[in-house]
Amino acid sequence: MNFLDKFRDPELCRRLLDLIHKESKGVRFMEVCGTHTVSIFQSGIHTLLPDNVVHLTGPGCPVCVTHDREVAAYLELAARPGVTIATFGDLMKVPGPKGRNLKTAQADGADVRVVYSPFDSLELARKLPDRQVVFLGIGFETTAPAVAATLKAAREQKLANFKVLPFHKLVPPALRGLLSDPEMRIEGFILPGHVSAVIGLDPYKFLGDDCGLPAAITGFEPLDLLQALLFLVRQKNTGGHEVVNQYRRVVADAGNPKAMQVMYEVFEPADALWRGIGTIPGSGLAIREEYAEHDAFRALDLTLPEVPPLPGCRCGEVLKGKMRPDQCPLFKKACTPATPVGPCMVSTEGSCAAYFKYQLDA
């Protein structure tokens, strides 16, 4: 028996669903993790909830939250002579200005390599000493420690031609940014399991202490999600605002102190741009001065260009939970997984792609 099978037990799921239906007096919850988005759609949970339990998908997909200006910057870098771009594959089709992306850049002659780990790009830098190898640092606290460890290794090995373009984002400041918008009306959060495995429980405590909102770190199986939803329903009913860790089989309350130490040894908090949200103070990671020779911004004299938003794309509103994917005029028409207009349709963890794949038409 697979270890995870017991977290998919149909009878236990039914009991939790019955309790949610019986006890819910209405709650609007948001999840901010692309894997949670996909799990909720894939399992069909969103179709089984009572009407007064409202699911909002938030900015949890790292590819999707990458801003238009950031996409334009790495496309500009890819076009430079002597530059090799190393990236995870999910960025290859993210559309930038005039419909360009890394695939079209490749077709135009750019040297773009898909890697499976930041350390793969370190090996590229070793094999290509006459080129500047730039790894695209996209993602949340989940991936930033591994990128930091790669930067440390590059400095130790004196691989000066290895660079990182730092576009990492931090989840807790983004939650503050979302809650500063009075239109959001969020009444509880399902917190990301992967990010929380690194940062732990404490960085979310402000949700209860300052904002009066309940929140639960949880896993990705149906029972995990339903348990978290029942918790939010009961907290809402009683006016509670606890922030709890319900994913203890993976997440320690203290997170991973070693990973955090490595991350902050190389990076420091900085303001960051988020698609659809704008600049959120302290929500990004900049490379510290000690590692400046590996910072693509400083070493390659790169700035973020001003670019217009993608025509017709409503990904920003989808990422803030203000619009369902199927309410976008382009959804399933001009914008499909085969012909994506916005990043939420490109990534497998994007809300639009999940909605396209798993939502059954009435």
Side-chain angles (χ1 to χ4, degrees), residues 5-21:
D5 285 348
K6 58 185 177 183
F7 296 96
R8 302 166 183 161
D9 184 284
E11 180 53 33
L12 291 177
C13 287
R14 170 53 61 192
R15 290 184 198 174
L16 286 171
L17 262 174
D18 287 346
L19 288 171
I20 291 170
H21 275 264

Side-chain angles (χ1 to χ4, degrees), residues 10 13-14 16-18 20-21 40 42-51 53 222 226 229:
C13 287
R14 170 53 61 192
L16 286 171
L17 262 174
D18 287 346
I20 291 170
H21 275 264
I40 288 172
Q42 188 176 34
S43 63
I45 286 176
H46 66 296
T47 64
L48 301 173
L49 295 173
D51 290 342
V53 176
L226 291 169
L229 286 174

Side-chain angles (χ1 to χ4, degrees), residues 95-170:
K98 299 180 180 178
R100 294 169 56 238
N101 56 38
L102 287 173
K103 293 287 286 184
T104 60
Q106 259 184 335
D108 291 339
D111 187 11
V112 181
R113 315 281 183 101
V114 172
V115 295
Y116 296 95
S117 158
F119 282 96
D120 292 343
S121 52
L122 206 61
E123 184 61 23
L124 268 179
R126 189 175 293 108
K127 291 179 177 175
L128 303 170
D130 297 329
R131 298 185 65 83
Q132 297 294 320
V133 176
V134 181
F135 178 76
L136 303 183
I138 307 289
F140 299 109
E141 293 94 330
T142 321
T143 53
V147 178
T150 308
L151 267 176
K152 282 170 61 74
R155 191 168 77 158
E156 290 166 4
Q157 297 171 28
K158 303 186 187 309
L159 289 171
N161 66 323
F162 175 76
K163 306 288 189 292
V164 168
L165 191 56
F167 290 147
H168 289 100
K169 309 286 194 287
L170 301 175

Side-chain angles (χ1 to χ4, degrees), residues 76-77 80 83 132-134 163 292-293 295-303:
E76 177 189 322
L77 200 55
R80 292 189 187 182
V83 170
Q132 297 294 320
V133 176
V134 181
K163 306 288 189 292
E293 70 170 325
D295 182 348
F297 277 116
R298 282 177 277 193
L300 302 180
D301 193 24
L302 182 70
T303 57

